């Protein structure tokens, strides 16, 4: 049976280059490991798995009378003459160094988890066919908390999950340890992810009962030696639901005592428990505002108890009020900036990359740089809720890089989000996982690249999306250099293609209602105005777009003046943000030489053309790949093309009802009517909570 | 990475015996195939996969100047001198023969699907290490319709499914053909399954919409060359829900026209569509009785339209009325026997093996043999709804055999259910699938053996559970003969163990409410009396058991006199059915030498001891198996033991509140109180619809 890609990027394909192969044989023939703990056991196991794959041999440890090929040990255990050769000073217990000493490759670190990271790094280099000789690497994470957020429910479903059921089988835990849990931990550790929130932010208090905490403990025990901490989402009303209290008021002594007891109970089972993520007073979730307390009151109540235990609180900023009719873009900023300085030091305010909701492209969230006294945590989405779900090839590293490189000007030019995070005493990046029980974990094989990239970029926000793609491709496919080059190009262009055919020129929130599948820019029937696509595009017979300048909602005022200056003028703003901030006349001539209407049509068409090109490129490699792998991607690309055309046709037909302008010639004619597209219903689209 | 058992019994492990290996090399070195169609393509592919596994070589077809090693062709294509050697005459297009002619192994049949079955049979024999020389087999199915029933919902959940989400991804169909669909078809064809009902009997009319029928068509196209037909569950009220009619009355002309149009639409897409299964007027499902029509009226309305298209209707007999306070055991018989002779010839009444509901043991359903003019279809459950779900090793072939061998005495002694079915002009066996998207398909690895056995036993109801287990073990594990022998014993005893520790002496329906997980014999709070365990065990301070004799509900009267005689006397009835038919005094002395109370305790204890022994046996083979496989079963057996003890402790503690008798010494003392057991809640137990 052909490759089903369960192994992710840990394939350890046989090395064909004889020189590299011989060099591996030499180095793996005598490995000395100077430490001894559960993490070291994992290092040894991983070396065995890798060696079996790369060179079809067992590794040998501590071979007598033989030169050491690979020396693995924490810095304090290294012989002095070797330790002295370390080129750099560790600032993090997670950092590692790899260097050559005579004929020996040395991996060192301050902790065994650092050694594990170093080992994975070495194996990755081998897998990507880089020569071992002269290997040299000194790497430390720029971000402390690199955390997956699973929106997994206790009944096994996954909110916004498109790759099968939850991998966490709460029913059979704690007694059944699925091999998946181990392989999940291996995959995460191999890319530097060091934390996982096991449960949905739309939380269920049951996870905090004794029975379930024993299940969490079992997972924590599996993950611990991989350097991965577990976290849970905390339902703010748990003291009522589980504790039978009358209130969950964070200033109530009984409530505080209930949480203190609960947190003690957790730490009794899981001494290195990571802490809580909390979605409070947001989309119907309970929170401190139910008791006229602030988000700071709520977060600090938990943080105070967690502080001596080294636990943290990740308090989500994704709030928008039921009462206010304010531009949703502005609400988190309004709610949170006034609380700056009020949070305990082990609280991070967790902020999505943009102010709306994980759109294919958003300008960066105005909270970044706006709360200098509060550590912010960046929340990215790996699952493709708004980027075609699991039938779309959209490589997200360029999007993450765009966010991390965004200059807030908070401390002058160059105050990128990445740097701001790094400079915080406490920092972290969360990624909403795209992982499910599908054999290949992510539904779309290329979804694996987004999990991979998230790990790499949260370790090092300067990492190059191209280099990440190149490495991932080599680890994932046994193919030719031409394949790697061509498919790397596809990947790097893929997110932009999705933007073009679904959310061009700064348009946003045009997707199907509820399930968020496909286009529904005409939807205007939802009870909250700001849940409707029509609220966001504001098309009329003259103009289209959301005026967020001074003459509109003035969300733009939440940014620093330098940023405002970039975006405030519809003539000079980067076209990618044009309709995000401006309500623009259909006939306005843009610097592309086209009118707005024609440019919009051009973007839709161009996105479709891009997908067509992706298909052509993929099909060039039919004979290089095993059939199931080729077919998998080929079928999905064809679905993506269908969906791109659906976006293009339905959106241009719909917007034409406002613009009343003729379609430019380059736009392919729709073979369906707008009414047809409007009639489509998807009652069982996946991932809808 | 170690074996994850995705390949099921189609592992094609390398052959180590040199003689057998050389013989395979010889036979696979020149294969002649005399036919040519899509099924033949599959035969060739399968031979290639098998050859790669068995002998790590490609097979060769039509090698010039070389003796034919394997000749595959339908009877009409065989050279006369070879055709004449066929020892038997095919009565079924699905039958096959394998025999040796000089140095050539010949596989022949009337159809290419028969050739496919023959090929799988040959490969199975190789996989089980039987010598090829002198191979001889003539095999025909004794049952025409060997059908899996998937209780899979369109949203991807599976009712009573314990092995992950549905394998059918309705969202990505028809454009995405998951490799799973192909491997599912391979697995089914390899064991003779020739039909599959894709959707839950608790049906959703959406499956009959045009959009979904295109998805069904895509699956039918995949399954067709494997000899597998697709069937759907039909929601009786679909004419109202989809057709906007005011009624679904089967005698209404508009309703009939709606179904005629719908069925035409289906056959336009799927010319060999198999037909419908219908659950009507049962547990809230709509049906003909809503319009004062009979089940025959409903079934015939569909059957009449399906008849010219060669489609069938499988009309379920699992009905029990909301209004009647009659013993549920009797209701299907009462409802259906009066309709005998009224059904069109392409209707089968689908009857569960027992009258209650797939209990670990039930006496056979009294409808068998009671409707001589109506073809009945036997419905078995493969998914272990009441047999420990996916954490229990319960090999079900002995249970199926017990049912198939049950003598109804309908046409005198020897009128077993198997024979009665076989003698019908139209016949079939349905198995409620235990298949899900878990990597190993069935959650518990040994669940695969039940899928395998279902195929084998529905092909040949005389097949020996031991031989099936032995073959399955050899195809599934690469291990020693001792392992096969010991684990075969475990398998053969496993279902009886479950009966002993959960439903001893004919007790039944004692499981947890709703989710059916674990014991809850005390439950008495459900709105319908016959949904409560207390209704079934009827324990009081004197007696326990359900009196179904003349002095009780007299369900016994629904059986033939010879059967009644076996079961009517509490002194002579087989103890396994004692409390099914009798309300018996706690102090009654049984022929085991123990009182009823002590015997009950003995059974509970003995079942637990059996599981403990299974663990001991399994652990003997730790070093023979790869670790994930060993651990998988080992962890599950330990869970099973916990659950067995939970059944034993809670049940004996609970029944003691009635018997007031002391526990016998051999009964291990419970470390928990009855109150503790009664407090347990499982809100997220899987498979609950």
């Amino acid at each position: 049976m052909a490759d089903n890609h369960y192994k992710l990027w840990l394939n350890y394909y046989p090395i064909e280059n004889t020189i590299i192969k011989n060099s591996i044989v030499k180095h793996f023939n005598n490995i000395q490991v100077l430490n001894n703990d559960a993490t070291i056991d994992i290092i040894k196991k991983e070396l065995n798995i890798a060696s079996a794959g790369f060179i079809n041999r067992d590794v040998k440890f501590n071979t007598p009378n033989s030169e050491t090929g690979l020396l693995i040990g924490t810095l304090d255990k290294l012989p002095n003459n070797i330790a002295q050769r370390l080129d750099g000073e560790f600032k993090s217990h997670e950092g590692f160094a790899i260097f050559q000493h005579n004929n020996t490759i040395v991996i060192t670190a301050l902790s065994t988890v650092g050694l594990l990271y170093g080992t994975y790094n070495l194996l990755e280099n081998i897998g990507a066919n880089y020569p071992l000789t002269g290997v040299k690497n000194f790497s430390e994470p720029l971000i402390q908390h690199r955390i997956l957020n699973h929106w997994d429910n206790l009944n096994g479903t996954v909110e916004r999950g498109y790759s099968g059921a939850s991998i966490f089988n709460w029913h059979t835990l704690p007694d059944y340890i699925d091999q998946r849990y181990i392989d999940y931990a291996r995959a995460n550790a191999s890319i530097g992810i060091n934390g996982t929130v096991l449960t949905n932010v739309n939380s269920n208090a049951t996870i905090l009962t004794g029975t379930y905490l024993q299940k969490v403990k079992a997972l924590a025990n599996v993950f611990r030696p991989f350097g991965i901490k577990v976290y849970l989402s905390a339902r703010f009303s748990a003291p009522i639901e589980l504790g039978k209290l009358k209130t969950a008021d964070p200033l109530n002594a009984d409530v505080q005592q209930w949480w203190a007891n609960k947190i003690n109970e957790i730490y009794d089972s899981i001494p290195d428990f990571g802490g809580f993520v909390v979605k409070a007073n947001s989309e119907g979730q309970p929170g401190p505002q139910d008791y006229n307390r602030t988000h700071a009151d709520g977060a600090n109540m938990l943080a105070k108890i967690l502080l001596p235990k080294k636990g943290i609180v990740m308090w989500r900023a994704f709030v928008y009020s039921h009462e206010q009719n304010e531009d949703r873009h502005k609400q988190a900023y309004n709610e949170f900036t006034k609380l700056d300085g009020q949070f305990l030091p082990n609280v991070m305010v967790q902020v999505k990359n943009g102010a709306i909701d994980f759109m294919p492209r958003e300008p960066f969230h105005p909270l970044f740089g706006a709360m200098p006294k509060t550590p912010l945590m960046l929340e990215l989405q790996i699952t493709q809720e708004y980027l075609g779900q699991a039938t779309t090839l959209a490589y997200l590293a360029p999007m993450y890089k765009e966010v991390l490189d965004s200059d807030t000007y908070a401390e002058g030019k160059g105050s990128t989000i990445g740097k701001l995070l790094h400079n915080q005493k406490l920092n972290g990046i969360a990624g909403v996982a795209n992982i499910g029980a599908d054999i290949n974990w992510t539904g779309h094989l290329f979804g694996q690249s987004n999990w991979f990239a998230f790990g790499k970029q949260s370790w090092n926000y300067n990492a190059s999306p191209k280099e990440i793609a190149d490495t991932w491709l080599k680890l994932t496919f046994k193919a030719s250099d031409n394949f790697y080059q061509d498919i790397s190009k596809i990947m790097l262009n893929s997110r932009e293609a999705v933007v073009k055919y679904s959310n061009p020129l700064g348009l946003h929130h045009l997707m199907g209602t509820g399930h968020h599948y496909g286009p529904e820019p005409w939807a205007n029937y939802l009870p909250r105005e700001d849940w409707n696509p029509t609220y966001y595009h504001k098309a009329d017979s003259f103009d289209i777009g959301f005026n967020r300048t001074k003459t509109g909602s003035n969300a733009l005022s939440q940014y620093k003046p330098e940023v405002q200056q970039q975006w405030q003028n519809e003539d000079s703003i980067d076209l990618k943000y044009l309709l995000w901030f401006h309500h623009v006349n259909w006939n306005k001539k843009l610097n592309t030489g086209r009118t707005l209407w024609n440019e919009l049509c051009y973007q839709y068409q161009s996105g479709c053309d891009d997908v067509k090109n992706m298909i052509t490129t993929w099909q060039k490699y039919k004979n290089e790949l095993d059939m199931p792998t080729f077919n998998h991607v080929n079928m999905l690309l064809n679905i993506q093309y269908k969906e791109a055309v659906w976006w293009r046709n339905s959106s241009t037909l719909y917007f034409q009802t406002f613009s009343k302008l003729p379609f430019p010639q380059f736009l392919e004619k729709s073979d369906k009517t707008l009414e047809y597209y409007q009639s489509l219903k998807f009652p069982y689209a996946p991932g809808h909570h």
Side-chain angles (χ1 to χ4, degrees), chain A:
Chain A
M1 210 152 312
D3 196 353
N4 58 29
H5 295 285
Y6 174 81
K7 294 186 192 177
L8 297 159
W9 46 87
L10 301 174
N11 288 292
Y12 304 130
Y13 289 127
I15 301 291
E16 275 156 21
N17 179 314
T18 324
I19 296 168
I20 298 181
K21 190 171 171 178
N22 289 340
S23 143
I24 298 167
V25 170
K26 197 181 70 185
H27 287 294
F28 281 16
N29 202 42
N30 181 13
I31 301 179
Q32 304 280 348
V33 184
L34 307 178
N35 303 67
N36 197 5
D37 65 9
T39 301
I40 294 294
D41 292 343
I42 285 162
I43 290 174
K44 289 178 176 173
K45 267 189 212 155
E46 198 68 35
L47 286 167
N48 258 315
I49 297 171
S51 182
F54 286 145
I55 53 174
N56 195 23
R57 289 167 65 129
D58 290 340
V59 291
K60 295 191 187 134
F61 294 99
N62 307 319
T63 317
N65 307 320
S66 152
E67 194 173 23
T68 300
L70 179 59
L71 178 65
I72 299 174
T74 50
L75 196 55
D76 57 316
K77 303 272 187 193
L78 285 188
N80 267 343
N81 63 326
I82 298 180
Q84 281 165 4
R85 302 204 42 172
L86 178 65
D87 195 13
E89 196 174 332
F90 288 121
K91 288 189 288 285
S92 159
H93 273 256
E94 297 185 312
F96 64 86
I98 307 178
F99 57 89
Q100 191 147 358
H101 172 71
N102 300 332
N103 292 318
T104 304
I105 291 174
V106 181
I107 302 177
T108 193
L110 295 183
S111 69
T112 55
V113 168
L115 298 178
L116 180 65
Y117 289 146
T119 304
Y120 275 118
N121 186 272
L122 185 78
L123 296 176
E124 178 181 307
N125 283 330
I126 296 172
N129 260 303
Y130 300 124
L132 276 184
T133 317
V135 61
K136 196 169 170 62
N137 196 353
F138 184 97
S139 182
E140 292 200 285
L142 302 180
I143 300 292
Q144 297 150 13
H145 295 282
R146 306 172 299 277
I147 299 185
L148 288 179
N149 284 15
H150 286 271
W151 288 357
D152 292 22
N153 300 314
L154 300 187
N155 67 359
T157 60
V158 182
E159 185 172 333
R160 309 309 175 188
Y162 311 103
S163 50
S166 172
I167 58 167
F168 303 118
N169 186 336
W170 293 106
H171 181 63
T172 56
L173 281 167
D175 295 311
Y176 184 75
I177 301 300
D178 196 317
Q179 179 65 29
R180 278 239 181 211
Y181 305 149
I182 298 163
D183 293 328
Y184 167 84
R186 290 174 58 223
N188 281 326
S190 77
I191 53 175
I193 289 170
N194 66 358
T196 176
V197 183
L198 302 172
T199 48
N200 193 349
V201 289
N202 292 317
S203 188
N204 182 325
T206 304
I207 194 67
L208 299 175
T209 60
T211 304
Y212 275 78
L213 289 175
Q214 289 312 299
K215 299 168 188 276
V216 176
K217 175 185 177 179
L219 289 174
N221 289 344
V222 172
F223 299 161
R224 184 173 297 110
F226 290 92
I228 297 166
K229 284 189 183 184
V230 302
Y231 301 77
L232 295 173
S233 56
R235 187 161 167 89
F236 203 76
S237 52
I240 299 172
E241 291 155 15
L242 303 184
K244 309 293 172 208
L245 300 185
K246 294 246 165 59
T247 177
D249 180 350
L251 302 194
N252 176 289
D254 291 338
V255 170
Q256 293 169 358
Q257 189 57 50
W258 186 88
W259 280 109
N261 292 345
K262 182 51 70 183
I263 289 169
N264 280 333
E265 183 189 346
I266 295 173
Y267 278 88
D268 283 346
S269 289
I270 309 163
D272 58 350
F273 178 70
F276 293 124
V277 64
V278 186
K279 175 177 179 178
N281 294 117
S282 166
E283 298 182 323
Q285 294 294 306
Q289 293 181 332
D290 301 343
Y291 309 96
N292 294 313
R293 313 299 183 190
T294 68
H295 285 288
D297 293 330
N300 290 341
M301 183 267 292
L302 295 170
K304 191 175 164 191
I305 308 168
L306 288 165
L307 192 58
K309 301 175 185 295
K310 302 196 163 57
I312 63 171
V313 173
M314 297 163 284
W315 193 270
R316 288 175 96 240
F318 182 64
V319 300
Y320 53 98
S321 161
H322 283 264
E323 292 77 33
Q324 293 176 50
N325 202 15
E326 177 65 281
D327 178 5
R328 182 166 141 190
H329 194 296
K330 296 169 68 178
Q331 295 195 36
Y333 180 99
N334 291 345
E335 194 69 55
F336 277 88
T337 48
K338 64 188 180 202
L339 301 173
D340 191 27
Q342 295 185 25
F343 291 95
L344 284 176
N346 60 329
V347 177
M348 282 189 278
V349 173
Q350 183 166 317
V351 183
K352 292 188 184 186
N353 59 281
I356 298 302
D357 190 8
F358 295 137
M359 294 295 117
R361 167 167 284 131
E362 299 201 27
F364 72 87
H365 200 299
L367 270 175
F368 289 106
M371 293 182 71
K373 296 181 208 142
T374 307
L376 300 191
M377 182 160 185
L378 170 62
E379 180 176 318
L380 299 168
Q381 198 179 42
I382 310 171
T383 190
Q384 294 169 225
E385 179 176 357
Y386 302 104
L387 285 110
Q389 306 182 354
T391 47
T392 289
L393 194 168
Y395 175 55
L396 302 181
M399 181 171 87
Y400 301 157
K401 189 77 164 47
E402 188 174 292
V403 173
L404 289 158
D405 284 353
S406 290
D407 196 344
T408 66
Y409 288 87
E411 298 163 17
K413 191 167 167 51
S415 302
T416 63
I417 290 179
K419 258 195 218 164
L420 288 184
L421 292 175
H422 176 64
N423 290 338
Q424 292 171 185
K425 204 166 160 190
L426 175 68
N427 58 35
I429 302 183
V432 181
N434 63 346
I435 297 164
D438 276 0
I439 295 181
N440 74 4
W441 302 80
T442 54
H444 199 305
L445 174 55
F446 279 76
Q448 295 185 358
S449 70
N450 293 326
W451 180 6
F452 184 81
F454 172 78
K456 296 289 183 182
Q457 292 176 288
S458 57
W459 177 281
N460 173 13
Y461 51 78
N462 294 316
S464 140
K466 179 171 185 323
E467 278 171 30
I468 295 170
D470 291 346
T471 301
W472 178 80
L473 283 166
K474 287 178 188 167
L475 300 175
T476 302
F477 299 95
K478 196 91 198 126
S480 67
D481 285 343
N482 283 340
F483 173 88
Y484 298 136
Q485 284 158 25
D486 273 359
I487 308 304
S488 173
K489 277 182 210 146
I490 279 185
M491 289 174 72
L492 289 166
N493 186 47
S494 58
R495 175 259 189 159
E496 201 66 39
V498 176
V499 171
K500 285 194 276 186
Y501 68 67
S502 67
N503 284 248
L505 300 177
L507 287 178
H508 53 286
H509 207 290
L510 306 175
M511 68 287 166
T513 288
H515 49 61
H516 298 170
Y517 174 66
E520 200 181 350
W522 47 83
N524 63 355
Y525 50 83
L526 292 166
R528 283 186 59 141
E529 204 188 348
D530 62 355
W531 283 353
N532 286 302
T534 51
Y535 169 86
Y536 292 95
H537 66 67
K538 299 196 186 298
D540 58 34
S541 56
F542 303 103
D543 309 88
I544 182 173
F546 200 128
N547 183 354
R548 291 192 167 106
T549 67
K550 270 181 212 158
T551 58
S553 78
N554 208 13
L556 194 54
S557 69
Q558 295 181 335
Y559 293 93
K560 292 284 177 293
E562 295 89 334
V563 179
Q564 291 185 39
Q565 210 187 334
Q566 286 171 25
W567 294 341
Q568 71 198 358
N569 188 323
E570 70 174 49
D571 292 316
S572 57
I573 188 172
D574 192 325
L575 286 184
K576 67 188 177 193
Y577 297 134
L578 177 63
L579 302 180
W580 190 283
F581 287 110
H582 298 279
H583 193 57
V584 183
N585 188 271
W586 292 110
N587 290 303
K588 181 178 172 66
K589 193 89 170 201
L590 305 180
N591 58 21
T592 59
R594 285 180 281 268
T595 63
L596 174 64
W597 169 245
N598 279 1
E599 182 64 33
L600 200 63
C601 294
Y602 177 79
Q603 293 284 330
Y604 280 113
Q605 182 62 45
S606 170
C608 292
D609 294 345
D610 286 354
V611 180
K612 205 177 245 176
N613 287 332
M614 287 159 75
I615 295 174
T616 311
T617 304
W618 183 257
Q619 291 183 340
K620 275 169 62 183
Y621 296 99
K622 182 166 181 173
N623 295 326
E624 278 197 29
L625 302 168
D626 64 279
M627 281 305 290
T629 299
F630 172 80
N631 284 335
H632 167 84
V633 176
N634 195 51
M635 287 186 284
L636 291 174
L637 283 173
N638 278 289
I639 291 175
Q640 184 175 350
Y641 184 65
K642 258 193 180 178
E643 293 180 353
V645 167
W646 170 29
W647 273 99
R648 180 196 69 200
N649 290 355
S650 65
S651 302
T652 52
L653 285 167
Y654 169 68
F655 288 129
Q656 194 188 42
T657 67
F658 298 97
S659 80
K660 314 278 188 200
L661 293 167
F663 288 130
Q665 279 225 310
F666 57 72
L667 187 75
E668 284 180 40
K669 201 170 146 42
S670 176
D671 57 350
K672 304 256 174 38
T673 65
L674 178 58
E675 290 65 36
Y676 166 79
Y677 289 117
Q678 290 179 330
S679 75
L680 296 177
K681 292 279 172 286
F682 304 93
Y684 304 105
H688 188 24
H689 64 106

